[in-house]
Amino acid sequence: CKKESCSSHIQYDSTKSSSINNLGLLVDVKFGSGQIKGEINEENISLAGLVVDNQRFGEIIDEKGDVFSDGYFSGILGFG
């Protein structure tokens, strides 16, 4: 995402990854305070010593609304 509301936060950069797998699946979610658009991709991730291969995640490319510019977070992480 190239908007100021995105660039003011730390961002994931898939061009620096050796394990990204672009799946070509699109994301388009409208919610009360805006909208996000992006892709579902796969990446090998490591979080607090836990390594997960081929983890699918939403990589947001565009957003509308103030939720990201006003929030004190860089994204949403959930485990199912």
Side-chain angles (χ1 to χ4, degrees):
C1 179
K2 303 297 183 205
K3 295 188 175 185
E4 184 179 339
S5 57
C6 295
S7 63
S8 65
H9 299 281
I10 297 170
Q11 296 185 54
Y12 167 79
D13 185 352
S14 62
T15 65
K16 295 180 179 178
S17 172
S18 62
S19 61
I20 184 71
N21 183 15
N22 293 4
L23 298 175
L25 303 171
L26 300 179
V27 173
D28 187 347
V29 179
K30 294 179 183 177
F31 47 92
S33 57
Q35 179 179 10
I36 55 172
K37 292 183 180 186
E39 306 170 343
I40 299 292
N41 293 316
E42 285 181 343
E43 175 69 281
N44 296 338
I45 65 164
S46 175
L47 181 65
L50 174 68
V51 177
V52 181
D53 292 334
N54 303 316
Q55 175 63 52
R56 290 187 177 189
F57 69 100
E59 186 174 354
I60 305 308
I61 296 169
D62 188 29
E63 66 89 14
K64 295 178 183 171
D66 294 330
V67 67
F68 295 106
S69 59
D70 294 342
Y72 294 103
F73 54 89
S74 297
I76 300 169
L77 175 65
F79 293 99

